[in-house]
Amino acid sequence: MFEEIVNETREKFEIGENSQKLLSILLAMIEDKENGGFAGFLETFNRAGLGSLAASWVNSGANMTLSNEQTESVFGEGTLHEMAAELGIEYEKTVSATAFLTPHIVDRLTPNSEVPDENEFRSLLGKNQPLTKKAALPDVQTPNADDNMYLRIVLPIIVLGILFAIAFSFCS
């Protein structure tokens, strides 16, 4: 889904495999439930006075570009410096690549010109499981039917053996 824009970012900004890492960071920001998920991510653009800009990425039609200055006002210089440090690339390249990637990511995640709900979002990313508490738990092996069959046979034999032992001790 994002391979084309990752490759374009890699070539345009000469950041190599960091283009994939930057995509992952941005997707994590978009997916972050503590900040309101996708809708919360878009709300940061509204708060920065860039709601119409973000709306152009969601709606069909031409996507407006995001400038480096706008990127700094939305993400904050501190966050962008942290991203640059995590990626191991220059701050300016991080800002420029983020400004380039963000509209493309939002555009690809809104193919129907609307913000997807959480499960649709996960499906778009190839994470087809709905988010539930059960899905977050580690896999635990449950006994299969064969295991239950052995318990149904062995347990009564053990109980009968104990009963015979008690009966024999009373009779003697």
Short mmCIF file of all heavy atoms in Angstrom, two decimals, residues 83-136:
data_model
loop_
_atom_site.label_atom_id
_atom_site.label_comp_id
_atom_site.label_asym_id
_atom_site.label_seq_id
_atom_site.Cartn_x
_atom_site.Cartn_y
_atom_site.Cartn_z
N MET A 83 12.28 12.29 16.43
CA MET A 83 12.18 11.43 15.25
C MET A 83 13.51 11.38 14.50
O MET A 83 13.96 10.30 14.10
CB MET A 83 11.05 11.93 14.32
CG MET A 83 9.66 11.73 14.90
SD MET A 83 8.36 12.65 14.03
CE MET A 83 8.41 11.95 12.39
N ALA A 84 14.13 12.55 14.33
CA ALA A 84 15.43 12.61 13.63
C ALA A 84 16.48 11.79 14.37
O ALA A 84 17.25 11.05 13.75
CB ALA A 84 15.88 14.07 13.50
N ALA A 85 16.49 11.90 15.70
CA ALA A 85 17.45 11.13 16.49
C ALA A 85 17.19 9.64 16.37
O ALA A 85 18.12 8.83 16.23
CB ALA A 85 17.39 11.58 17.96
N GLU A 86 15.91 9.26 16.42
CA GLU A 86 15.56 7.83 16.31
C GLU A 86 15.95 7.27 14.94
O GLU A 86 16.40 6.14 14.83
CB GLU A 86 14.06 7.65 16.55
CG GLU A 86 13.63 6.20 16.58
CD GLU A 86 12.17 6.04 16.96
OE1 GLU A 86 11.61 6.90 17.65
OE2 GLU A 86 11.59 5.00 16.56
N LEU A 87 15.78 8.09 13.91
CA LEU A 87 16.11 7.65 12.55
C LEU A 87 17.60 7.76 12.26
O LEU A 87 18.10 7.11 11.35
CB LEU A 87 15.32 8.48 11.53
CG LEU A 87 13.81 8.33 11.57
CD1 LEU A 87 13.14 9.40 10.71
CD2 LEU A 87 13.40 6.94 11.12
N GLY A 88 18.27 8.65 12.99
CA GLY A 88 19.69 8.85 12.74
C GLY A 88 19.95 9.68 11.49
O GLY A 88 20.95 9.48 10.81
N ILE A 89 19.03 10.59 11.18
CA ILE A 89 19.21 11.48 10.03
C ILE A 89 19.08 12.93 10.47
O ILE A 89 18.60 13.21 11.58
CB ILE A 89 18.22 11.16 8.88
CG1 ILE A 89 16.76 11.30 9.34
CG2 ILE A 89 18.47 9.77 8.33
CD1 ILE A 89 15.74 11.09 8.23
N GLU A 90 19.47 13.85 9.61
CA GLU A 90 19.43 15.26 9.94
C GLU A 90 17.99 15.72 10.18
O GLU A 90 17.06 15.22 9.58
CB GLU A 90 20.05 16.11 8.80
CG GLU A 90 21.49 15.82 8.48
CD GLU A 90 21.61 14.68 7.47
OE1 GLU A 90 20.75 14.55 6.58
OE2 GLU A 90 22.57 13.91 7.59
N TYR A 91 17.89 16.72 11.03
CA TYR A 91 16.59 17.29 11.38
C TYR A 91 15.84 17.79 10.14
O TYR A 91 14.66 17.49 9.96
CB TYR A 91 16.78 18.43 12.40
CG TYR A 91 15.50 19.17 12.74
CD1 TYR A 91 14.61 18.63 13.65
CD2 TYR A 91 15.20 20.39 12.14
CE1 TYR A 91 13.43 19.30 13.96
CE2 TYR A 91 14.03 21.06 12.45
CZ TYR A 91 13.14 20.51 13.36
OH TYR A 91 11.98 21.16 13.65
N GLU A 92 16.52 18.54 9.29
CA GLU A 92 15.87 19.11 8.10
C GLU A 92 15.33 18.02 7.17
O GLU A 92 14.25 18.17 6.61
CB GLU A 92 16.83 20.04 7.34
CG GLU A 92 17.07 21.36 8.03
CD GLU A 92 15.80 22.16 8.28
OE1 GLU A 92 14.90 22.20 7.40
OE2 GLU A 92 15.67 22.74 9.37
N LYS A 93 16.09 16.95 7.00
CA LYS A 93 15.61 15.84 6.17
C LYS A 93 14.39 15.19 6.81
O LYS A 93 13.46 14.80 6.11
CB LYS A 93 16.71 14.80 5.95
CG LYS A 93 17.69 15.16 4.88
CD LYS A 93 18.62 14.00 4.57
CE LYS A 93 19.58 14.38 3.47
NZ LYS A 93 20.42 13.26 3.06
N THR A 94 14.41 15.07 8.13
CA THR A 94 13.26 14.49 8.83
C THR A 94 12.02 15.34 8.61
O THR A 94 10.94 14.81 8.30
CB THR A 94 13.55 14.36 10.33
OG1 THR A 94 14.71 13.54 10.51
CG2 THR A 94 12.38 13.75 11.08
N VAL A 95 12.15 16.64 8.76
CA VAL A 95 11.01 17.55 8.59
C VAL A 95 10.50 17.48 7.15
O VAL A 95 9.29 17.34 6.92
CB VAL A 95 11.39 19.00 8.96
CG1 VAL A 95 10.25 19.97 8.65
CG2 VAL A 95 11.77 19.09 10.43
N SER A 96 11.41 17.56 6.18
CA SER A 96 11.01 17.53 4.77
C SER A 96 10.35 16.21 4.39
O SER A 96 9.33 16.19 3.70
CB SER A 96 12.23 17.76 3.87
OG SER A 96 12.77 19.03 4.11
N ALA A 97 10.93 15.11 4.83
CA ALA A 97 10.37 13.79 4.52
C ALA A 97 9.01 13.61 5.19
O ALA A 97 8.09 13.03 4.61
CB ALA A 97 11.34 12.69 4.92
N THR A 98 8.87 14.12 6.42
CA THR A 98 7.59 14.04 7.13
C THR A 98 6.54 14.87 6.40
O THR A 98 5.39 14.43 6.23
CB THR A 98 7.74 14.51 8.59
OG1 THR A 98 8.70 13.66 9.24
CG2 THR A 98 6.43 14.46 9.34
N ALA A 99 6.93 16.06 5.96
CA ALA A 99 6.01 16.93 5.21
C ALA A 99 5.58 16.26 3.91
O ALA A 99 4.44 16.42 3.47
CB ALA A 99 6.68 18.27 4.92
N PHE A 100 6.47 15.51 3.29
CA PHE A 100 6.15 14.82 2.05
C PHE A 100 5.27 13.60 2.31
O PHE A 100 4.26 13.39 1.62
CB PHE A 100 7.45 14.39 1.35
CG PHE A 100 7.23 13.56 0.13
CD1 PHE A 100 6.84 14.17 -1.06
CD2 PHE A 100 7.40 12.20 0.16
CE1 PHE A 100 6.63 13.40 -2.20
CE2 PHE A 100 7.19 11.42 -0.98
CZ PHE A 100 6.80 12.03 -2.16
N LEU A 101 5.62 12.80 3.31
CA LEU A 101 4.92 11.54 3.56
C LEU A 101 3.51 11.73 4.12
O LEU A 101 2.59 10.99 3.75
CB LEU A 101 5.72 10.68 4.54
CG LEU A 101 6.69 9.68 3.97
CD1 LEU A 101 7.47 8.99 5.09
CD2 LEU A 101 6.01 8.65 3.12
N THR A 102 3.33 12.66 5.03
CA THR A 102 2.06 12.80 5.75
C THR A 102 0.85 12.90 4.82
O THR A 102 -0.11 12.12 4.98
CB THR A 102 2.12 13.96 6.75
OG1 THR A 102 3.19 13.72 7.67
CG2 THR A 102 0.81 14.12 7.51
N PRO A 103 0.83 13.80 3.83
CA PRO A 103 -0.34 13.86 2.96
C PRO A 103 -0.60 12.56 2.20
O PRO A 103 -1.74 12.14 2.02
CB PRO A 103 -0.02 15.00 1.98
CG PRO A 103 1.03 15.80 2.65
CD PRO A 103 1.79 14.86 3.52
N HIS A 104 0.49 11.91 1.77
CA HIS A 104 0.35 10.66 1.03
C HIS A 104 -0.24 9.55 1.91
O HIS A 104 -1.07 8.77 1.46
CB HIS A 104 1.69 10.21 0.46
CG HIS A 104 2.20 11.10 -0.64
ND1 HIS A 104 1.58 11.22 -1.85
CD2 HIS A 104 3.27 11.94 -0.68
CE1 HIS A 104 2.24 12.07 -2.62
NE2 HIS A 104 3.28 12.52 -1.92
N ILE A 105 0.22 9.48 3.15
CA ILE A 105 -0.28 8.46 4.07
C ILE A 105 -1.76 8.67 4.33
O ILE A 105 -2.56 7.74 4.21
CB ILE A 105 0.50 8.49 5.40
CG1 ILE A 105 1.95 8.06 5.19
CG2 ILE A 105 -0.17 7.58 6.43
CD1 ILE A 105 2.85 8.31 6.40
N VAL A 106 -2.14 9.89 4.68
CA VAL A 106 -3.55 10.18 4.98
C VAL A 106 -4.41 9.90 3.75
O VAL A 106 -5.48 9.30 3.85
CB VAL A 106 -3.73 11.63 5.47
CG1 VAL A 106 -5.21 11.98 5.60
CG2 VAL A 106 -3.01 11.83 6.80
N ASP A 107 -3.93 10.29 2.57
CA ASP A 107 -4.66 10.04 1.33
C ASP A 107 -4.90 8.55 1.11
O ASP A 107 -6.00 8.12 0.78
CB ASP A 107 -3.91 10.65 0.15
CG ASP A 107 -4.66 10.51 -1.15
OD1 ASP A 107 -5.83 10.95 -1.23
OD2 ASP A 107 -4.08 9.96 -2.11
N ARG A 108 -3.86 7.75 1.33
CA ARG A 108 -3.99 6.30 1.11
C ARG A 108 -4.89 5.63 2.14
O ARG A 108 -5.51 4.62 1.87
CB ARG A 108 -2.61 5.64 1.15
CG ARG A 108 -1.66 6.13 0.08
CD ARG A 108 -1.70 5.26 -1.17
NE ARG A 108 -1.08 5.90 -2.30
CZ ARG A 108 0.19 5.77 -2.65
NH1 ARG A 108 0.99 5.00 -1.94
NH2 ARG A 108 0.66 6.38 -3.71
N LEU A 109 -4.93 6.20 3.34
CA LEU A 109 -5.76 5.62 4.40
C LEU A 109 -7.22 6.06 4.34
O LEU A 109 -8.03 5.61 5.14
CB LEU A 109 -5.17 5.97 5.78
CG LEU A 109 -3.84 5.32 6.11
CD1 LEU A 109 -3.29 5.86 7.42
CD2 LEU A 109 -3.98 3.80 6.18
N THR A 110 -7.54 6.94 3.40
CA THR A 110 -8.91 7.43 3.26
C THR A 110 -9.40 7.25 1.83
O THR A 110 -9.80 8.22 1.16
CB THR A 110 -9.01 8.91 3.68
OG1 THR A 110 -8.06 9.67 2.92
CG2 THR A 110 -8.74 9.08 5.17
N PRO A 111 -9.41 6.01 1.33
CA PRO A 111 -9.79 5.80 -0.07
C PRO A 111 -11.25 6.16 -0.36
O PRO A 111 -11.59 6.44 -1.50
CB PRO A 111 -9.53 4.30 -0.29
CG PRO A 111 -9.62 3.70 1.07
CD PRO A 111 -9.11 4.76 2.01
N ASN A 112 -12.10 6.15 0.65
CA ASN A 112 -13.51 6.48 0.45
C ASN A 112 -13.83 7.91 0.86
O ASN A 112 -14.99 8.23 1.12
CB ASN A 112 -14.39 5.49 1.22
CG ASN A 112 -14.17 4.07 0.76
OD1 ASN A 112 -14.00 3.80 -0.42
ND2 ASN A 112 -14.17 3.14 1.70
N SER A 113 -12.81 8.74 0.96
CA SER A 113 -12.96 10.15 1.35
C SER A 113 -13.58 10.32 2.73
O SER A 113 -14.30 11.28 2.97
CB SER A 113 -13.78 10.91 0.29
OG SER A 113 -13.11 10.90 -0.94
N GLU A 114 -13.29 9.39 3.61
CA GLU A 114 -13.72 9.51 5.00
C GLU A 114 -12.73 8.80 5.90
O GLU A 114 -12.04 7.88 5.48
CB GLU A 114 -15.13 8.96 5.21
CG GLU A 114 -15.30 7.51 4.81
CD GLU A 114 -16.74 7.04 4.90
OE1 GLU A 114 -17.64 7.79 4.49
OE2 GLU A 114 -16.95 5.90 5.36
N VAL A 115 -12.67 9.28 7.13
CA VAL A 115 -11.74 8.69 8.09
C VAL A 115 -12.27 7.32 8.49
O VAL A 115 -13.41 7.20 8.94
CB VAL A 115 -11.59 9.61 9.33
CG1 VAL A 115 -10.67 8.96 10.36
CG2 VAL A 115 -11.04 10.96 8.91
N PRO A 116 -11.47 6.28 8.31
CA PRO A 116 -11.95 4.93 8.65
C PRO A 116 -12.06 4.74 10.16
O PRO A 116 -11.34 5.39 10.92
CB PRO A 116 -10.87 4.02 8.06
CG PRO A 116 -9.64 4.86 8.03
CD PRO A 116 -10.11 6.27 7.82
N ASP A 117 -12.97 3.85 10.57
CA ASP A 117 -13.02 3.52 11.99
C ASP A 117 -11.82 2.63 12.31
O ASP A 117 -11.04 2.26 11.43
CB ASP A 117 -14.36 2.87 12.39
CG ASP A 117 -14.57 1.47 11.80
OD1 ASP A 117 -13.58 0.77 11.49
OD2 ASP A 117 -15.74 1.08 11.67
N GLU A 118 -11.68 2.27 13.56
CA GLU A 118 -10.50 1.56 14.01
C GLU A 118 -10.28 0.23 13.28
O GLU A 118 -9.17 -0.08 12.86
CB GLU A 118 -10.62 1.31 15.52
CG GLU A 118 -9.37 0.78 16.15
CD GLU A 118 -9.50 0.70 17.67
OE1 GLU A 118 -10.42 1.30 18.25
OE2 GLU A 118 -8.66 0.02 18.25
N ASN A 119 -11.35 -0.54 13.11
CA ASN A 119 -11.21 -1.84 12.44
C ASN A 119 -10.93 -1.67 10.95
O ASN A 119 -10.14 -2.43 10.38
CB ASN A 119 -12.45 -2.70 12.67
CG ASN A 119 -12.53 -3.18 14.11
OD1 ASN A 119 -11.51 -3.39 14.77
ND2 ASN A 119 -13.73 -3.35 14.61
N GLU A 120 -11.55 -0.68 10.31
CA GLU A 120 -11.25 -0.40 8.90
C GLU A 120 -9.80 0.03 8.74
O GLU A 120 -9.12 -0.38 7.79
CB GLU A 120 -12.17 0.70 8.37
CG GLU A 120 -13.62 0.30 8.22
CD GLU A 120 -14.52 1.49 7.91
OE1 GLU A 120 -14.27 2.60 8.44
OE2 GLU A 120 -15.47 1.30 7.15
N PHE A 121 -9.34 0.85 9.68
CA PHE A 121 -7.96 1.33 9.66
C PHE A 121 -6.99 0.14 9.73
O PHE A 121 -6.06 0.03 8.95
CB PHE A 121 -7.74 2.29 10.83
CG PHE A 121 -6.34 2.81 10.94
CD1 PHE A 121 -5.88 3.80 10.09
CD2 PHE A 121 -5.47 2.33 11.91
CE1 PHE A 121 -4.59 4.29 10.18
CE2 PHE A 121 -4.18 2.82 12.02
CZ PHE A 121 -3.74 3.80 11.15
N ARG A 122 -7.26 -0.76 10.67
CA ARG A 122 -6.39 -1.94 10.82
C ARG A 122 -6.44 -2.81 9.57
O ARG A 122 -5.44 -3.37 9.16
CB ARG A 122 -6.78 -2.72 12.06
CG ARG A 122 -6.46 -1.96 13.35
CD ARG A 122 -6.80 -2.75 14.59
NE ARG A 122 -6.08 -4.00 14.71
CZ ARG A 122 -4.79 -4.13 15.02
NH1 ARG A 122 -4.08 -3.06 15.26
NH2 ARG A 122 -4.24 -5.32 15.12
N SER A 123 -7.60 -2.92 8.95
CA SER A 123 -7.73 -3.70 7.73
C SER A 123 -6.92 -3.08 6.60
O SER A 123 -6.26 -3.79 5.84
CB SER A 123 -9.21 -3.79 7.35
OG SER A 123 -9.35 -4.50 6.15
N LEU A 124 -6.95 -1.75 6.50
CA LEU A 124 -6.16 -1.07 5.47
C LEU A 124 -4.67 -1.33 5.65
O LEU A 124 -3.92 -1.40 4.68
CB LEU A 124 -6.42 0.44 5.52
CG LEU A 124 -7.75 0.92 4.96
CD1 LEU A 124 -8.00 2.38 5.32
CD2 LEU A 124 -7.79 0.74 3.45
N LEU A 125 -4.25 -1.45 6.90
CA LEU A 125 -2.84 -1.70 7.19
C LEU A 125 -2.47 -3.17 7.11
O LEU A 125 -1.34 -3.54 7.35
CB LEU A 125 -2.48 -1.16 8.58
CG LEU A 125 -2.56 0.35 8.74
CD1 LEU A 125 -2.21 0.74 10.17
CD2 LEU A 125 -1.66 1.06 7.76
N GLY A 126 -3.47 -4.01 6.81
CA GLY A 126 -3.21 -5.44 6.72
C GLY A 126 -3.27 -6.14 8.06
O GLY A 126 -2.81 -7.26 8.21
N LYS A 127 -3.82 -5.48 9.04
CA LYS A 127 -3.99 -6.08 10.37
C LYS A 127 -5.47 -6.42 10.49
O LYS A 127 -6.24 -5.67 11.06
CB LYS A 127 -3.59 -5.09 11.47
CG LYS A 127 -2.17 -4.61 11.37
CD LYS A 127 -1.92 -3.54 12.40
CE LYS A 127 -0.52 -2.98 12.31
NZ LYS A 127 -0.30 -1.90 13.26
N ASN A 128 -5.87 -7.53 9.92
CA ASN A 128 -7.29 -7.84 9.76
C ASN A 128 -8.02 -8.21 11.03
O ASN A 128 -9.24 -8.26 11.04
CB ASN A 128 -7.47 -8.94 8.71
CG ASN A 128 -7.07 -8.44 7.34
OD1 ASN A 128 -7.31 -7.28 7.01
ND2 ASN A 128 -6.46 -9.29 6.56
N GLN A 129 -7.32 -8.47 12.11
CA GLN A 129 -8.01 -8.81 13.35
C GLN A 129 -8.60 -7.55 13.95
O GLN A 129 -7.93 -6.52 14.03
CB GLN A 129 -7.04 -9.38 14.38
CG GLN A 129 -6.45 -10.70 14.03
CD GLN A 129 -5.46 -11.11 15.09
OE1 GLN A 129 -4.62 -10.33 15.50
NE2 GLN A 129 -5.56 -12.34 15.54
N PRO A 130 -9.86 -7.60 14.39
CA PRO A 130 -10.39 -6.44 15.12
C PRO A 130 -9.64 -6.29 16.43
O PRO A 130 -9.17 -7.26 17.01
CB PRO A 130 -11.85 -6.78 15.35
CG PRO A 130 -11.97 -8.25 15.14
CD PRO A 130 -10.82 -8.67 14.28
N LEU A 131 -9.53 -5.06 16.88
CA LEU A 131 -8.86 -4.81 18.15
C LEU A 131 -9.78 -5.18 19.29
O LEU A 131 -10.82 -4.58 19.48
CB LEU A 131 -8.50 -3.33 18.28
CG LEU A 131 -7.27 -2.87 17.52
CD1 LEU A 131 -7.07 -1.39 17.73
CD2 LEU A 131 -6.05 -3.62 17.96
N THR A 132 -9.43 -6.20 20.01
CA THR A 132 -10.18 -6.59 21.19
C THR A 132 -9.17 -6.95 22.25
O THR A 132 -8.01 -7.21 21.96
CB THR A 132 -11.08 -7.82 20.92
OG1 THR A 132 -10.23 -8.93 20.57
CG2 THR A 132 -12.07 -7.56 19.80
N LYS A 133 -9.63 -7.01 23.50
CA LYS A 133 -8.71 -7.42 24.56
C LYS A 133 -8.21 -8.83 24.32
O LYS A 133 -7.09 -9.14 24.56
CB LYS A 133 -9.41 -7.32 25.92
CG LYS A 133 -9.61 -5.89 26.36
CD LYS A 133 -10.18 -5.84 27.73
CE LYS A 133 -10.39 -4.39 28.14
NZ LYS A 133 -10.95 -4.27 29.45
N LYS A 134 -9.08 -9.69 23.80
CA LYS A 134 -8.69 -11.07 23.55
C LYS A 134 -7.56 -11.13 22.52
O LYS A 134 -6.64 -11.91 22.65
CB LYS A 134 -9.90 -11.87 23.06
CG LYS A 134 -9.60 -13.34 22.91
CD LYS A 134 -10.85 -14.11 22.56
CE LYS A 134 -10.55 -15.58 22.47
NZ LYS A 134 -11.71 -16.36 22.15
N ALA A 135 -7.63 -10.29 21.48
CA ALA A 135 -6.59 -10.29 20.45
C ALA A 135 -5.25 -9.84 21.02
O ALA A 135 -4.21 -10.23 20.52
CB ALA A 135 -7.00 -9.38 19.30
N ALA A 136 -5.26 -9.05 22.06
CA ALA A 136 -4.02 -8.54 22.63
C ALA A 136 -3.36 -9.54 23.57
O ALA A 136 -2.21 -9.40 23.90
CB ALA A 136 -4.29 -7.25 23.39
#
